[in-house]
Amino acid sequence: MPKIKTHRGAAKRFKRTAKGKFKASHAYHSHILGKKSPKRKRKLRSSVTLHPTDQRRVLRLLPY
């Protein structure tokens, strides 16, 4: 059986944590930042863990 290829787009966006969950960065933090409050931009800097339903989808894209 051949190896499964890793989805390169997903590999750049998600990282696996030590417990096997997936970590991602927030959306809406790349441009048009002038109208967003400093508090909102500060909170967007942190990473977030994916919801379990999304984790299953990402697991298929990142098998290794």
Side-chain angles (χ1 to χ4, degrees):
M1 184 118 178
K3 290 182 179 181
I4 304 169
K5 286 193 175 182
T6 299
H7 190 287
R8 298 314 297 163
K12 293 167 189 172
R13 286 169 174 82
F14 306 107
K15 299 286 177 241
R16 200 184 293 247
T17 62
K19 292 197 172 188
K21 296 178 180 179
F22 286 99
K23 178 171 90 163
S25 60
H26 282 279
Y28 306 108
H29 191 58
S30 56
H31 60 105
I32 313 174
L33 299 173
K35 61 176 78 170
K36 294 168 188 160
S37 68
K39 179 182 177 181
R40 184 174 167 194
K41 289 187 278 191
R42 191 167 57 244
K43 288 198 174 280
L44 289 173
R45 248 185 264 157
S46 63
S47 60
V48 65
T49 55
L50 290 186
H51 193 268
T53 53
D54 293 324
Q55 282 197 59
R56 276 192 307 240
R57 296 162 83 182
V58 174
L59 194 58
R60 289 186 64 185
L61 300 173
L62 303 173
Y64 303 109

